[in-house]
């Protein structure tokens, strides 16, 4: 044992271990593990008991107790003699335990005793609790040890707060039933004696005893503690100024346990009434601060009784009266900000339940709702300690902001409930907050932020019509908000929520146009776009754009004022010089929403043509000149993707793109063609960027985006510019680049249809060649290999390719595939479409391919002649059998899936079209080689033919689905596709 003791000390946190080398400590740890795991159980038992008895070191005692616990838990100690020796030794240690031994040793000993009780009580040894119960008068050491055993037993077995398996649940029931029958009343008497005797002599021991009592109240006879002996004692300890804090908290915990005891609702009303009688003024705010857990539990239980019994029941009505009597204490606890004593989650759950019971609140209840709103306000307020961090939004500020956002979720739900049952009370409360914040120069950031946040949330709770008309106090609050200038407006939090709140009530201005100038002031002065905080300024730009979209024509009279106010913001895009790589510049998206807002305003038809041309010229010309200047400079110096000049060019192209969003094709090309000419010149300038730097990918993406817009607004007039742009965009392409390119081509097809045929004939061979090099059937693969970034890009390119081919087939451009330069790719394309139509895992892509084939049949095949030799045979022998038959018979085709049913409908339609165009050739092959090959009975094959010939497509679809469902079980679920 001496050797083992030395090794244990080396393996622990003793001074000897601190002086030892890491290798020695590692050897010691390994030796201890072997001693614990490899010693015979009986030897280990005697070794550990010897160590506990002889060693003066707490580290050795702990190792011995832990080793015994592990051996017992792993069922290594099973011999009756060993267990008897362990039991007698542990009980002796527990009974003789003194309060001076280290708490960690007492806890480990209690845990070991609790495990023995679980395994042996009462069937092996029924006297555990009788032996452990301290004699009267209670002494600190035995009282503390007995309480720790009960607490360990609760933690490890009895408590229902933790998930238990069936074996643990059965053991817990056995132990509880035996304790109830044998010793609970004696244990309760001990708790009372310990509380009375030790509350002054040893408050810590008394607190532990009451904590053990609290844990047991949920499953013992409540009459043992809810009586004239215990309850006054609990209240006396809880309220006495001389009680130590842990002891007072333990007494409150016991009272909370009594109040929360599960029982019949009528019995619970009587219990709650007795608690109220035992402590006069339980509902006072002072009691709420001292006994927060009790008053919250009491209120929750009273509310549940009222809900179950109903307001018409006498006991139900009494429960509501008792609830309202303790509400002041609940509010005091909730507003205290004492997170240690007050469980905010429990408070919130109770308050939400209480509000949900209200239908038409009485005057008294309206007063309570006002207090609840104040609780919501307090709990939604940021801590001033984080004010600076939240302004600059550093790591600490971001964490606090995220934490508060999560904390506010349930509070917002409660606030909406109040707005629903008492909208006038909610509006009055918020009005008071806003008025207070505006009238005080000392209003804090936190108070203003939460007031504005609640006003914003009010806007979510009321209807759009109420906002538009200014119903209730909204008609007073919104004008007050628009003219508000808070003393702390420079703070990021206040500025942001202010702008969001103004935006939330935007519809008010549609009915009250006299406030439009005030609204513009919010966005255009230093509360918005000109705010000192860059993040606030950018957010203001975005919200201003939304305001323009919402109010549009109502802003036309103020167009000059708006543009004048934005002059400095707009001019920064045309005044940037990039002399060297160290030049500071904003990100490429900064300010773009402002250009979109200005474009939306200028593009309103109510603006005169002269004004429109004047404003647009003033906007476009400087930007175009800046592009030309930057392109010239970049040609001389060279251009890298991340260079300041490249970023600047991106930013200007984005700005031009945003401006164009305010214009449509009818206005630009029909009503006011002069505007179209201006945008056409702008396009010519932007295309010079692509001509000069076709390999700078970020620039190319921005040019493509601008081309999308120009195609939309310039229509056919843009066609002459497209070929050169497309040729340049086909240079040096990767998968991502080809996706962007094909999306652009798809737009051209959908916009111009057959007018784009010459362009398609020119570029299609290059597209097909490039895609053949990039794509392979590997992109169809599933599994880990398909989850790489590169594979995802290839799969996205495949999807875009099918969209491209689908657009060609459905916009009268299938002839492009038959041109001499494209014909060499036709076989590859057909095989790819065929494979995808029946094998691809993406059902929507399969549907698109079936639709492509249907359109190709319509375009290329007639009853008299075919444009493509061999296509008819391909459709009959390959497509019809593989896609229309084998694929739907495969077990992977789920006829219960909505998308699969849509694909099934397209497959049915394809058969009708093939029958119309191919006639008997299709029928003969499909029945003879298709249906016969999958063991379809002849009578069903004949019915198939008759239904196909008919004119009722719905009837044919229904029959074909039933045919598939009948044939599939005959072993056709795993066909080999041909």
């Amino acid at each position: 044992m001496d050797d083992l003791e030395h090794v244990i000390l080396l393996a622990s946190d003793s001074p000897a271990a601190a002086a030892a080398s890491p290798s020695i400590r590692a050897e010691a740890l390994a030796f201890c593990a072997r001693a614990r795991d490899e010693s015979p159980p009986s030897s280990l038992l005697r070794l550990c008991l010897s160590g506990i008895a002889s060693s003066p070191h707490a580290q050795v005692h702990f190792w011995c107790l832990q080793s015994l616990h592990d051996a017992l838990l792993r069922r290594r100690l099973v011999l009756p003699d060993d267990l008897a020796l362990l039991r007698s030794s542990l009980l002796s240690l527990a009974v003789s335990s003194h309060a001076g031994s280290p708490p960690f040793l007492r806890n480990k000993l209690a845990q070991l005793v609790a495990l023995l009780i679980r395994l042996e009580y009462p069937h092996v040894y029924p006297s555990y609790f009788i032996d452990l119960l301290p004699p009267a008068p209670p002494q600190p050491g035995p009282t503390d040890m007995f309480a720790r055993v009960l607490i360990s037993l609760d933690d490890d077995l009895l408590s229902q707060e933790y998930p238990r398996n069936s074996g643990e649940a059965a053991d817990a029931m056995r132990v509880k039933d035996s304790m109830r029958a044998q010793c609970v009343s004696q244990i309760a008497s001990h708790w009372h004696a310990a509380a009375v005797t030790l509350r002054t002599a040893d408050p810590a021991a008394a607190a532990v005893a009451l904590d053990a009592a609290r844990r047991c109240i949920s499953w013992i006879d409540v009459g043992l503690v809810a009586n004239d002996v215990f309850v006054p004692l609990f209240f006396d300890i809880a309220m006495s100024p001389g009680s130590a804090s842990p002891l007072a908290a333990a007494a409150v915990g016991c009272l909370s346990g009594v109040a929360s005891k599960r029982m019949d609702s009528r019995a619970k009303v009587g219990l709650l009434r007795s608690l109220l009688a035992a402590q006069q003024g339980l509902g006072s705010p002072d009691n709420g601060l001292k006994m927060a857990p009790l008053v919250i539990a009491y209120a929750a239980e009273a509310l549940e009784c009222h809900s179950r019994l109903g307001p018409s029941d006498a006991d139900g009505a009494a429960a509501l009266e008792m609830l309202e009597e303790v509400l002041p204490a609940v509010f005091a606890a909730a507003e205290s900000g004492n997170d240690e004593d007050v469980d905010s989650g429990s408070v919130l759950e109770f308050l939400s339940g209480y509000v949900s019971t209200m239908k038409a609140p009485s005057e008294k209840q309206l007063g309570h709702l006002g207090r609840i709103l104040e609780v919501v306000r307090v709990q939604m307020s940021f801590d001033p300690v984080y004010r600076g961090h939240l302004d600059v939004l550093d790591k600490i500020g971001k964490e606090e902001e995220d934490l508060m956002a999560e904390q506010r979720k349930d509070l917002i739900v409660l606030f909406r409930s109040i707005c629903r049952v008492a909208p006038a009370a909610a509006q009055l409360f918020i009005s008071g907050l806003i008025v207070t914040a505006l009238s005080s120069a000392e209003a804090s950031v936190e108070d203003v932020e939460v007031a504005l946040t609640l006003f914003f949330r009010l806007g979510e709770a009321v209807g759009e019509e109420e906002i538009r008309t200014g119903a209730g106090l909204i008609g007073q609050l919104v004008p007050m908000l628009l003219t508000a200038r808070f003393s702390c407006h420079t703070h990021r939090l206040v500025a942001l929520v202010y702008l969001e709140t103004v935006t939330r009530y935007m519809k008010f201005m549609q009915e009250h146009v006299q406030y439009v100038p005030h609204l513009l002031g919010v966005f255009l002065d230093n509360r918005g776009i000109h705010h000192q905080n860059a993040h606030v300024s950018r957010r203001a730009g975005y919200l201003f754009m939304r305001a323009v979209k919402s109010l549009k024509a109502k802003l036309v009279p103020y167009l000059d004022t708006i543009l004048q106010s934005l002059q400095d913001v707009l001019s920064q895009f045309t005044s940037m010089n990039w002399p060297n790589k160290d030049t500071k510049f904003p990100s490429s998206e900064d300010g773009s929403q402002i250009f979109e807002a200005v474009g939306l305003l200028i593009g309103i038809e109510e603006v005169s043509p002269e004004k429109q041309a004047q404003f647009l010229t003033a906007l476009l010309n400087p930007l175009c000149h800046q592009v030309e200047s930057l392109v010239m400079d970049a040609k001389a110096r060279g251009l890298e993707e991340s260079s300041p000049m490249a970023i600047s060019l991106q930013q200007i192209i984005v700005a031009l793109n945003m401006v164009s969003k305010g214009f449509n094709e009818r206005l630009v090309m029909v009503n006011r063609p002069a505007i179209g000419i201006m945008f056409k010149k702008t396009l010519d300038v932007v295309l010079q960027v692509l001509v000069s730097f076709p390999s700078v990918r970020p620039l190319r993406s921005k040019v493509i985006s601008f081309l999308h817009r120009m195609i939309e607004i310039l229509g056919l007039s843009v066609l002459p510019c497209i070929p050169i742009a497309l040729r340049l965009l086909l240079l040096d392409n990767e998968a991502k680049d080809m996706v962007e390119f094909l999306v652009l081509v798809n737009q051209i097809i959908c916009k111009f249809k057959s007018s784009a045929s010459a362009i398609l004939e020119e570029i299609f061979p290059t597209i097909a060649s490039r895609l053949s090099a990039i794509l392979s059937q590997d992109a169809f693969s599933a599994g880990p290999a398909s989850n790489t970034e590169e594979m995802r890009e290839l799969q996205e390119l495949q999807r875009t390719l099918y969209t491209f081919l689908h657009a060609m087939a459905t916009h009268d451009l299938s002839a492009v595939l038959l041109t001499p330069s494209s014909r060499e790719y036709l076989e590859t394309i057909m095989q790819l479409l065929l494979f995808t139509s029946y094998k691809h895992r993406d059902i929507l892509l399969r549907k698109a391919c079936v639709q492509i084939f249907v359109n190709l049949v319509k375009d290329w095949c007639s009853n008299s002649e075919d444009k493509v030799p061999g296509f008819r045979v391909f459709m009959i022998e390959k497509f019809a059998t593989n896609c229309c038959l084998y694929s739907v018979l495969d077990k992977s085709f789920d006829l219960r899936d909505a998308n699969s049913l849509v694909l099934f409908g397209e497959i049915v339609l394809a058969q009708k079209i093939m029958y119309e165009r191919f006639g008997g050739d299709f029928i003969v092959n499909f029945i003879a080689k298709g249906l016969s090959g999958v063991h379809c009975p002849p009578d069903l094959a004949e019915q198939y033919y008759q239904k196909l010939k008919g004119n009722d497509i719905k009837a044919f679809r229904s029959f074909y689905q039933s045919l598939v469902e009948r044939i599939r079980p005959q072993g056709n679920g795993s066909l080999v596709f041909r």
Side-chain angles (χ1 to χ4, degrees), residues 138 190-200 206 209-210 230 233-234 237 247:
H190 161 72
W191 290 331
H192 183 271
V196 171
T197 306
L198 300 176
R199 62 182 292 186
T200 303
L210 291 188
F230 265 99
L233 175 63
F234 289 150
I237 293 173
L247 178 59

Side-chain angles (χ1 to χ4, degrees), residues 71-349:
L72 191 61
L73 192 62
R74 292 155 57 189
R75 299 294 196 271
R76 293 187 65 211
L77 288 173
V78 293
L79 295 177
D81 289 345
D82 288 346
L83 291 173
L85 175 60
L86 176 63
R87 182 191 318 121
S88 62
S89 301
L90 293 181
L91 288 175
S92 176
L93 284 171
V95 170
S96 63
S97 173
H98 58 86
S101 61
F104 71 90
L105 279 184
R106 282 180 279 156
N107 286 337
K108 182 54 64 177
L109 176 58
Q111 189 180 32
L112 186 50
V113 172
L115 180 56
L116 265 178
I117 292 172
R118 175 186 171 182
L119 297 174
E120 296 190 331
Y121 179 75
H123 51 288
V124 176
Y125 191 75
S127 302
Y128 271 107
F129 295 99
I130 302 301
D131 293 349
L132 289 168
L133 194 66
Q139 297 300 311
T143 297
D144 178 89
M145 193 66 236
F146 181 62
R148 289 177 190 271
V149 170
L150 291 177
I151 291 170
S152 290
L153 193 62
D154 181 72
D155 285 338
D156 297 341
L157 183 65
L158 303 183
S159 175
Q160 294 181 342
E161 294 181 4
Y162 309 103
R164 309 289 187 193
N165 60 37
S166 58
E168 291 170 333
D171 288 345
M173 186 60 69
R174 167 173 49 79
V175 171
K176 287 178 183 178
D177 288 345
S178 300
M179 289 181 69
R180 290 189 192 104
Q182 182 194 47
C183 56
V184 164
S185 60
Q186 296 97 306
I187 293 173
S189 298
H190 161 72
W191 290 331
H192 183 271
V196 171
T197 306
L198 300 176
R199 62 182 292 186
T200 303
D202 196 323
V208 176
L210 291 188
D211 185 41
R214 173 187 64 81
R215 292 163 177 262
C216 297
I217 287 173
S218 63
W219 56 268
I220 65 174
D221 178 5
V222 72
L224 293 172
V225 288
N227 52 47
D228 294 339
V229 175
F230 265 99
V231 170
L233 175 63
F234 289 150
F235 275 119
D236 184 53
I237 293 173
M239 298 301 294
S240 174
S243 295
S245 295
L247 178 59
V252 171
C254 290
L255 289 167
S256 302
V258 169
S260 302
K261 176 76 173 179
R262 287 184 296 179
M263 61 181 69
D264 174 75
S265 295
R266 295 193 188 281
K268 176 59 71 70
V269 171
L271 176 64
L272 296 177
R273 188 179 286 115
S274 69
L275 289 176
L276 204 59
Q279 178 63 30
Q280 295 298 320
L282 179 60
S284 70
D286 185 54
N287 282 337
L289 296 175
K290 291 181 178 179
M291 297 188 291
L294 170 60
V295 296
I296 294 167
Y298 187 100
E301 294 297 324
L303 177 63
E304 185 174 356
C305 291
H306 173 70
S307 300
R308 288 186 176 182
L309 297 172
S312 59
D313 183 270
D315 285 333
L320 182 61
E321 290 178 6
M322 291 186 286
L323 161 64
E324 293 189 336
E325 188 166 339
V326 299
L327 275 178
V330 174
F331 295 142
E335 294 167 7
S336 67
N338 186 348
D339 294 334
E340 291 186 7
D341 295 333
V342 180
D343 181 356
S344 58
S346 298
V347 173
L348 190 56
E349 184 179 358

Side-chain angles (χ1 to χ4, degrees), residues 901-948:
L901 283 175
V902 173
L903 170 59
F904 187 81
E906 296 294 336
I907 289 172
V908 168
L909 178 62
Q911 294 172 73
K912 290 288 289 184
I913 297 298
M914 285 189 288
Y915 174 68
E916 292 172 3
R917 297 302 171 99
F918 304 150
D921 293 342
F922 166 70
I923 285 295
V924 169
N925 189 83
F926 195 76
I927 292 178
K929 296 183 179 179
L931 293 177
S932 297
V934 295
H935 315 295
C936 176
D939 60 322
L940 284 180
E942 177 60 27
Q943 288 183 53
Y944 169 83
Y945 177 47
Q946 296 302 324
K947 294 289 184 181
L948 180 63

Side-chain angles (χ1 to χ4, degrees), residues 837-850:
S837 70
Y838 69 81
K839 198 68 173 175
H840 204 287
R841 63 183 181 276
D842 188 329
I843 294 295
L844 296 180
L845 285 187
R846 288 168 66 173
K847 182 191 77 170
C849 290
V850 173

